[in-house]
Amino acid sequence: MRPTGGAAVTSSEGQPVEQAAISVTALSKHFGSVLALDRIDFEVRPGAVFGLLGPNGAGKTTVIRILTTILRPSAGHAEVLGHDVVREAGVVRRLIGLAGQYAAVDPNLTGRENLRLIGRLTQLPRARIRPRAAALLERFDLAAAADRPVRTYSGGMRRRLDVAAALVPEPPVLFLDEPTTGLDPQSRNALWELIRELVGDGTTVLLTTQYLEEADRLAERVVVVNEGRIIADDSPAALKARLGNTVIELGMGDPARAARAAAALDGRLAQAPEVEGARLRLTSPDGSEALLDVLHLLETGGLVPRTVAVRESSLDDVFLALTGHRTDPPADPAAAGDAP
């Protein structure tokens, strides 16, 4: 699958320039007095996974709904493969697939019947509908259950079928809105592998997620959204490098000892420690030397930690540094989305 449908783009020297698969400029959205999106900008290159990361209510689903022509923006401009999502909404719909937060398949139909129905609704040529449905059922490991009603499927099977349904018309751009929320770790890993295969075939994927590990594993670039604004835009590796490569976590036994330990370290390190209950957290580009310094300072003050853990920094650490709080735990699938 290759991106199609956009006009050719050339530089001032007449050389071809790679056109963005998705382009967003100063995009804003109001719901009454609520500003859900505040002039956000980003571009997604063709054949990549692009992550929109943020907590519930950050605006991620609102972005997806605008880009998939479900909502109209209040201001700004957005294109998919060079086509305006407002003025050319019909064209955009033919170029995209969408797997939203909640399964769009009919629980009373079989998996096979659902995919064939999607084929007819998306005006796939009749001769291609049956083989396309069969190929997707095989690819998503659903062939054995293809003729069972979807209401008998597990959560992981339904989610895979939902993504398969979004792929029936072979869209060059796929939107996945929190695709693994509610899945067990095995089903989540299987879906991650399928997303990698799709990108290997040339599909562009825009992925929203609250799972930090998901963005880290899949996305080549990540936009961090908070309260309708973009607060960071970079590769996962570069975002983590801002904090230093190592996170040191010290368990002090109780909050009072943690507070005393933080006070003892204040001004003695390049970066002040974060206190979270009975734990201290520090980041450093040189974990081994920093750990030795910290342990020496605490031992001198009679505040030897009860536990010590050293690990690489994560996107969760990045989000904490950027916003002052961690991402919320993934929402229940029955909960409402971002938009009021």
Side-chain angles (χ1 to χ4, degrees), residues 24 27 37 40 42 52 59-68 206 225:
V24 171
L27 199 64
L37 294 178
I40 67 170
F42 64 83
L52 276 178
K60 306 184 304 296
T61 296
T62 301
V63 174
I64 292 282
R65 290 174 179 168
I66 290 173
L67 291 174
T68 56
L206 191 150
V225 184

PDB file of all heavy atoms in Angstrom, residues 24 27 37 40 42 52 59-68 206 225:
ATOM      1  N   VAL A  24      -1.048  19.321   9.620  1.00  0.00           N
ATOM      2  CA  VAL A  24      -1.951  20.051  10.512  1.00  0.00           C
ATOM      3  C   VAL A  24      -1.325  21.405  10.814  1.00  0.00           C
ATOM      4  O   VAL A  24      -0.172  21.477  11.239  1.00  0.00           O
ATOM      5  CB  VAL A  24      -2.172  19.261  11.821  1.00  0.00           C
ATOM      6  CG1 VAL A  24      -2.926  20.098  12.838  1.00  0.00           C
ATOM      7  CG2 VAL A  24      -2.926  17.963  11.540  1.00  0.00           C
ATOM      8  N   LEU A  27      -4.419  24.251  14.115  1.00  0.00           N
ATOM      9  CA  LEU A  27      -5.733  23.623  14.253  1.00  0.00           C
ATOM     10  C   LEU A  27      -6.310  23.899  15.640  1.00  0.00           C
ATOM     11  O   LEU A  27      -5.657  23.647  16.659  1.00  0.00           O
ATOM     12  CB  LEU A  27      -5.611  22.117  14.034  1.00  0.00           C
ATOM     13  CG  LEU A  27      -6.895  21.362  13.699  1.00  0.00           C
ATOM     14  CD1 LEU A  27      -7.454  21.824  12.359  1.00  0.00           C
ATOM     15  CD2 LEU A  27      -6.635  19.861  13.680  1.00  0.00           C
ATOM     16  N   LEU A  37      -8.767  22.102  21.419  1.00  0.00           N
ATOM     17  CA  LEU A  37      -7.493  22.156  20.697  1.00  0.00           C
ATOM     18  C   LEU A  37      -7.110  23.618  20.524  1.00  0.00           C
ATOM     19  O   LEU A  37      -7.942  24.442  20.136  1.00  0.00           O
ATOM     20  CB  LEU A  37      -7.598  21.494  19.321  1.00  0.00           C
ATOM     21  CG  LEU A  37      -7.837  19.995  19.270  1.00  0.00           C
ATOM     22  CD1 LEU A  37      -7.972  19.532  17.818  1.00  0.00           C
ATOM     23  CD2 LEU A  37      -6.738  19.231  19.973  1.00  0.00           C
ATOM     24  N   ILE A  40      -2.724  23.749  17.167  1.00  0.00           N
ATOM     25  CA  ILE A  40      -1.671  22.731  17.110  1.00  0.00           C
ATOM     26  C   ILE A  40      -1.161  22.564  15.686  1.00  0.00           C
ATOM     27  O   ILE A  40      -1.878  22.769  14.711  1.00  0.00           O
ATOM     28  CB  ILE A  40      -2.146  21.378  17.684  1.00  0.00           C
ATOM     29  CG1 ILE A  40      -3.229  20.755  16.788  1.00  0.00           C
ATOM     30  CG2 ILE A  40      -2.663  21.538  19.107  1.00  0.00           C
ATOM     31  CD1 ILE A  40      -3.536  19.334  17.171  1.00  0.00           C
ATOM     32  N   PHE A  42       1.512  19.923  13.276  1.00  0.00           N
ATOM     33  CA  PHE A  42       2.444  18.803  13.108  1.00  0.00           C
ATOM     34  C   PHE A  42       2.297  18.238  11.703  1.00  0.00           C
ATOM     35  O   PHE A  42       1.315  18.503  11.003  1.00  0.00           O
ATOM     36  CB  PHE A  42       2.226  17.700  14.161  1.00  0.00           C
ATOM     37  CG  PHE A  42       0.885  17.003  14.099  1.00  0.00           C
ATOM     38  CD1 PHE A  42       0.654  15.949  13.219  1.00  0.00           C
ATOM     39  CD2 PHE A  42      -0.139  17.388  14.958  1.00  0.00           C
ATOM     40  CE1 PHE A  42      -0.571  15.303  13.176  1.00  0.00           C
ATOM     41  CE2 PHE A  42      -1.369  16.744  14.926  1.00  0.00           C
ATOM     42  CZ  PHE A  42      -1.577  15.698  14.029  1.00  0.00           C
ATOM     43  N   LEU A  52       0.381  10.265  18.970  1.00  0.00           N
ATOM     44  CA  LEU A  52      -0.201  11.363  19.743  1.00  0.00           C
ATOM     45  C   LEU A  52      -0.358  10.850  21.171  1.00  0.00           C
ATOM     46  O   LEU A  52      -1.140   9.929  21.418  1.00  0.00           O
ATOM     47  CB  LEU A  52      -1.570  11.758  19.193  1.00  0.00           C
ATOM     48  CG  LEU A  52      -1.633  12.720  18.015  1.00  0.00           C
ATOM     49  CD1 LEU A  52      -3.082  12.935  17.598  1.00  0.00           C
ATOM     50  CD2 LEU A  52      -1.004  14.053  18.365  1.00  0.00           C
ATOM     51  N   GLY A  59      -7.116  16.016  24.167  1.00  0.00           N
ATOM     52  CA  GLY A  59      -7.481  16.472  22.826  1.00  0.00           C
ATOM     53  C   GLY A  59      -7.134  15.479  21.737  1.00  0.00           C
ATOM     54  O   GLY A  59      -7.352  15.763  20.552  1.00  0.00           O
ATOM     55  N   LYS A  60      -6.612  14.314  22.092  1.00  0.00           N
ATOM     56  CA  LYS A  60      -6.163  13.349  21.079  1.00  0.00           C
ATOM     57  C   LYS A  60      -7.297  12.889  20.176  1.00  0.00           C
ATOM     58  O   LYS A  60      -7.171  12.889  18.952  1.00  0.00           O
ATOM     59  CB  LYS A  60      -5.525  12.130  21.766  1.00  0.00           C
ATOM     60  CG  LYS A  60      -4.421  12.431  22.739  1.00  0.00           C
ATOM     61  CD  LYS A  60      -3.774  11.188  23.291  1.00  0.00           C
ATOM     62  CE  LYS A  60      -4.723  10.214  23.945  1.00  0.00           C
ATOM     63  NZ  LYS A  60      -5.388  10.777  25.162  1.00  0.00           N
ATOM     64  N   THR A  61      -8.409  12.486  20.772  1.00  0.00           N
ATOM     65  CA  THR A  61      -9.531  11.990  19.976  1.00  0.00           C
ATOM     66  C   THR A  61     -10.138  13.100  19.137  1.00  0.00           C
ATOM     67  O   THR A  61     -10.601  12.860  18.016  1.00  0.00           O
ATOM     68  CB  THR A  61     -10.582  11.338  20.890  1.00  0.00           C
ATOM     69  OG1 THR A  61     -10.011  10.186  21.514  1.00  0.00           O
ATOM     70  CG2 THR A  61     -11.814  10.900  20.102  1.00  0.00           C
ATOM     71  N   THR A  62     -10.126  14.322  19.634  1.00  0.00           N
ATOM     72  CA  THR A  62     -10.619  15.450  18.848  1.00  0.00           C
ATOM     73  C   THR A  62      -9.794  15.620  17.578  1.00  0.00           C
ATOM     74  O   THR A  62     -10.342  15.872  16.495  1.00  0.00           O
ATOM     75  CB  THR A  62     -10.593  16.741  19.689  1.00  0.00           C
ATOM     76  OG1 THR A  62     -11.404  16.560  20.854  1.00  0.00           O
ATOM     77  CG2 THR A  62     -11.122  17.918  18.899  1.00  0.00           C
ATOM     78  N   VAL A  63      -8.478  15.478  17.683  1.00  0.00           N
ATOM     79  CA  VAL A  63      -7.609  15.543  16.496  1.00  0.00           C
ATOM     80  C   VAL A  63      -8.011  14.459  15.500  1.00  0.00           C
ATOM     81  O   VAL A  63      -8.174  14.720  14.295  1.00  0.00           O
ATOM     82  CB  VAL A  63      -6.132  15.377  16.893  1.00  0.00           C
ATOM     83  CG1 VAL A  63      -5.257  15.287  15.647  1.00  0.00           C
ATOM     84  CG2 VAL A  63      -5.678  16.539  17.763  1.00  0.00           C
ATOM     85  N   ILE A  64      -8.177  13.234  15.980  1.00  0.00           N
ATOM     86  CA  ILE A  64      -8.551  12.120  15.100  1.00  0.00           C
ATOM     87  C   ILE A  64      -9.876  12.401  14.412  1.00  0.00           C
ATOM     88  O   ILE A  64     -10.029  12.189  13.194  1.00  0.00           O
ATOM     89  CB  ILE A  64      -8.646  10.807  15.916  1.00  0.00           C
ATOM     90  CG1 ILE A  64      -7.264  10.369  16.396  1.00  0.00           C
ATOM     91  CG2 ILE A  64      -9.303   9.706  15.085  1.00  0.00           C
ATOM     92  CD1 ILE A  64      -6.412   9.719  15.361  1.00  0.00           C
ATOM     93  N   ARG A  65     -10.846  12.898  15.149  1.00  0.00           N
ATOM     94  CA  ARG A  65     -12.174  13.139  14.572  1.00  0.00           C
ATOM     95  C   ARG A  65     -12.141  14.226  13.509  1.00  0.00           C
ATOM     96  O   ARG A  65     -12.891  14.175  12.538  1.00  0.00           O
ATOM     97  CB  ARG A  65     -13.164  13.490  15.683  1.00  0.00           C
ATOM     98  CG  ARG A  65     -13.498  12.301  16.578  1.00  0.00           C
ATOM     99  CD  ARG A  65     -14.364  12.704  17.753  1.00  0.00           C
ATOM    100  NE  ARG A  65     -14.697  11.552  18.579  1.00  0.00           N
ATOM    101  CZ  ARG A  65     -15.241  11.625  19.780  1.00  0.00           C
ATOM    102  NH1 ARG A  65     -15.501  12.815  20.314  1.00  0.00           N
ATOM    103  NH2 ARG A  65     -15.522  10.537  20.464  1.00  0.00           N
ATOM    104  N   ILE A  66     -11.281  15.210  13.682  1.00  0.00           N
ATOM    105  CA  ILE A  66     -11.155  16.242  12.651  1.00  0.00           C
ATOM    106  C   ILE A  66     -10.470  15.676  11.413  1.00  0.00           C
ATOM    107  O   ILE A  66     -10.930  15.884  10.282  1.00  0.00           O
ATOM    108  CB  ILE A  66     -10.381  17.458  13.202  1.00  0.00           C
ATOM    109  CG1 ILE A  66     -11.230  18.195  14.245  1.00  0.00           C
ATOM    110  CG2 ILE A  66      -9.987  18.409  12.073  1.00  0.00           C
ATOM    111  CD1 ILE A  66     -10.496  19.311  14.966  1.00  0.00           C
ATOM    112  N   LEU A  67      -9.380  14.938  11.619  1.00  0.00           N
ATOM    113  CA  LEU A  67      -8.633  14.408  10.477  1.00  0.00           C
ATOM    114  C   LEU A  67      -9.421  13.355   9.694  1.00  0.00           C
ATOM    115  O   LEU A  67      -9.159  13.160   8.506  1.00  0.00           O
ATOM    116  CB  LEU A  67      -7.304  13.813  10.956  1.00  0.00           C
ATOM    117  CG  LEU A  67      -6.272  14.823  11.469  1.00  0.00           C
ATOM    118  CD1 LEU A  67      -5.068  14.106  12.053  1.00  0.00           C
ATOM    119  CD2 LEU A  67      -5.836  15.768  10.346  1.00  0.00           C
ATOM    120  N   THR A  68     -10.364  12.706  10.347  1.00  0.00           N
ATOM    121  CA  THR A  68     -11.185  11.705   9.662  1.00  0.00           C
ATOM    122  C   THR A  68     -12.530  12.269   9.222  1.00  0.00           C
ATOM    123  O   THR A  68     -13.434  11.525   8.875  1.00  0.00           O
ATOM    124  CB  THR A  68     -11.392  10.472  10.549  1.00  0.00           C
ATOM    125  OG1 THR A  68     -11.972  10.860  11.804  1.00  0.00           O
ATOM    126  CG2 THR A  68     -10.072   9.766  10.814  1.00  0.00           C
ATOM    127  N   LEU A 206      -1.349   6.923  12.167  1.00  0.00           N
ATOM    128  CA  LEU A 206      -1.389   7.891  13.253  1.00  0.00           C
ATOM    129  C   LEU A 206      -2.067   7.208  14.430  1.00  0.00           C
ATOM    130  O   LEU A 206      -3.204   6.740  14.325  1.00  0.00           O
ATOM    131  CB  LEU A 206      -2.147   9.156  12.863  1.00  0.00           C
ATOM    132  CG  LEU A 206      -2.010  10.316  13.863  1.00  0.00           C
ATOM    133  CD1 LEU A 206      -2.113  11.670  13.158  1.00  0.00           C
ATOM    134  CD2 LEU A 206      -3.054  10.256  14.968  1.00  0.00           C
ATOM    135  N   VAL A 225       0.547  15.864  23.905  1.00  0.00           N
ATOM    136  CA  VAL A 225      -0.545  16.830  23.976  1.00  0.00           C
ATOM    137  C   VAL A 225      -1.032  16.907  25.413  1.00  0.00           C
ATOM    138  O   VAL A 225      -1.219  15.886  26.079  1.00  0.00           O
ATOM    139  CB  VAL A 225      -1.712  16.409  23.056  1.00  0.00           C
ATOM    140  CG1 VAL A 225      -2.814  17.469  23.066  1.00  0.00           C
ATOM    141  CG2 VAL A 225      -1.230  16.161  21.644  1.00  0.00           C
TER     142      VAL A 225
END
